[in-house]
Amino acid sequence: LVVNLPIRMDDGGLVNFAGYRVQHVLTMGPTKGGLRFSPTVSLGECAALAMWMTWKCALLGLPYGGAKGGVRCDPRALSAAELERITRRYTTEMIPVIGPEKDIPAPDMGTGDREMAWIYDTYSQAIGHSAPAVVTGKPPEIGGTVGRRTATGLGVVHVLEEVLRHRGRSVEGLRVAIQGFGNVGEAAAFRLHALGARVVAVGDADGGLSAPGGLDVPAVACWIADHGSFAGFPGGDGLGAAEVLEVPAEIVIPAATARQITSANAACLDCEIVVEAANGPTTPAADAILADRGVTVVPDILANAGGVTVSYFEWVQSRQRLGWSLAEVENRLRGQLRAAFAAVLAASERLDVDLRTAALAVAIDRVAGAATSRGVFP
Ligand code: NAD
């Protein structure tokens, strides 16, 4: 669905924003996927991301097809009131296609729990009763689940632990470089540091830090909170944003944005395993270079699936009006990711293919199997 959103701006002017929602596969149940506010959002980008969500949900065994939405706007250039009008108008336009049993949005780039609360409220006003299961990633006081904020980062670490366990190793003592210190990168860094890994480099869009003996991750997070950037942190050396990926380490975790490992830098990565916390961080050309060099790539649809898995847990809790404990959320998350990794590993051995091809094979096979079982109507 492509919509036009005429929005009254704070200065009294009127601006039209383009909005999109793409539902990719309706065979598996309702569709699920984030809502992105970014100046580069397009119908094509939403379609690609919706397809990605289909495979991710199928791989994790979640009862959803994939979807993705977006509004082409720069959220940093808009006031909170303007963003609220955009979100509510977008939701109103989407009412025919979203709903707890139809299509369930969630946060993505440029949106968060505030926007999800506005969607929940606007949808509920329209249908006449509260419908918390229409979105996930809500604030806790209106039905958001415990454990959602850190779910993707923790999931990245669970999957990495499974990969290492299969090789008879553990994360303790291993060096890890992490690009991106947002929701995902920071949570992964904290957990890896707590597990005894040496986080030898972290970075964001403005630059990074390295320390061969390992950074004090909680101290780095405090520094960022106080100073707004890594610059001047006393326990590490400053680094350019792009250099973080090339710091020597057993594990490299791109957790920033798409297309960061390309044919230009793939040969410079000095690591054994790349864990794709971001969506699409490795280009196909870079994938081939890494494979030639014997670097294992743990694909995004497996590595970062912790987020949608805990979103699914939130949807279940919202529908049942029942809150789970943090321990229950984290135990179920670990179990679901372990099962997905086992399926991918088995497919990779059976088909003699890399983990990305194996993950896609498992996911596509499940969707195809469901379509075959449901048959053709009439
Ligand atoms: P975020 O906005 O919280 O953080 C992004 C981080 O990446 C920031 O530190 C930013 O400065 C940094 N960054 C951006 N561009 C960069 C660049 N060119 N070089 C270096 N650093 C750069 O976002 P997030 O929620 O942590 O998401 C990160 C990635 O994980 C995205 O690709 C997202 O699609 C993916 N992902 C997120 C979730 C989730 O639950 N948040 C789930 C699945 C996938």
Side-chain angles (χ1 to χ4, degrees), residues 306-364:
V308 69
T309 303
V310 175
S311 269
Y312 162 62
F313 297 162
E314 180 176 326
W315 178 73
V316 171
Q317 293 172 70
S318 289
R319 292 175 83 223
Q320 298 182 339
R321 301 291 209 271
L322 183 70
W324 300 355
S325 68
L326 183 60
E328 179 158 15
V329 168
E330 291 193 345
N331 286 338
R332 284 178 181 267
L333 172 65
R334 186 190 292 260
Q336 215 130 350
L337 286 168
R338 277 190 175 172
F341 174 72
V344 171
L345 183 65
S348 134
E349 287 169 355
R350 189 178 71 250
L351 303 168
D352 192 21
V353 293
D354 61 25
L355 294 178
R356 190 189 309 283
T357 310
L360 284 168
V362 170
I364 293 168

Side-chain angles (χ1 to χ4, degrees), residues 36 56 108-109 148 152 179-185 203-206 241 255-258 260 277-279 304 307:
R36 179 172 284 197
K56 202 179 289 186
D108 193 69
M109 277 166 54
R148 174 64 186 90
T152 307
Q179 184 201 41
F181 204 66
N183 185 351
V184 179
D204 64 14
D206 301 322
T257 182
Q260 293 302 299
N279 282 316
N304 70 29

Side-chain angles (χ1 to χ4, degrees), residues 34 129 170 205 215 313 348 359:
H129 61 87
S170 84
L215 292 157
F313 297 162
S348 134

Side-chain angles (χ1 to χ4, degrees), residues 103-312:
D103 183 8
I104 306 123
D108 193 69
M109 277 166 54
T111 63
D113 60 356
R114 180 183 64 173
E115 285 73 17
M116 298 308 113
W118 290 332
I119 295 175
Y120 168 27
D121 185 68
T122 309
Y123 181 83
S124 300
Q125 302 280 351
I127 64 164
H129 61 87
S130 290
V134 70
V135 280
T136 59
K138 299 179 290 293
E141 61 273 18
I142 55 170
T145 184
V146 290
R148 174 64 186 90
R149 213 194 89 76
T150 53
T152 307
L154 288 189
V156 167
V157 179
H158 288 329
V159 173
L160 171 61
E161 286 186 289
E162 288 302 293
V163 172
L164 291 169
R165 200 160 62 94
H166 173 63
R167 299 176 179 197
R169 299 166 75 180
S170 84
V171 294
E172 202 180 340
L174 293 190
R175 294 167 302 164
V176 187
I178 304 176
Q179 184 201 41
F181 204 66
N183 185 351
V184 179
E186 185 180 342
F190 263 87
R191 177 55 69 102
L192 286 163
H193 180 73
L195 290 172
R198 280 185 289 154
V199 179
V200 292
V202 294
D204 64 14
D206 301 322
L209 285 173
S210 73
L215 292 157
D216 179 346
V217 173
V220 172
C222 285
W223 183 270
I224 287 265
D226 290 345
H227 299 84
S229 90
F230 296 112
F233 179 73
D237 300 322
L239 210 60
E243 291 169 294
V244 172
L245 294 170
E246 298 170 20
V247 170
E250 282 78 28
I251 316 294
V252 166
I253 303 181
T257 182
R259 306 182 77 82
Q260 293 302 299
I261 305 176
T262 66
S263 54
N265 65 356
C268 306
L269 267 62
D270 187 358
C271 66
E272 294 171 28
I273 301 174
V274 171
V275 188
E276 293 187 328
N279 282 316
T282 314
T283 64
D287 230 2
I289 295 168
L290 293 174
D292 276 352
R293 297 182 55 223
V295 176
T296 300
V297 178
V298 184
D300 45 13
I301 62 169
L302 173 64
N304 70 29
V308 69
T309 303
V310 175
S311 269
Y312 162 62

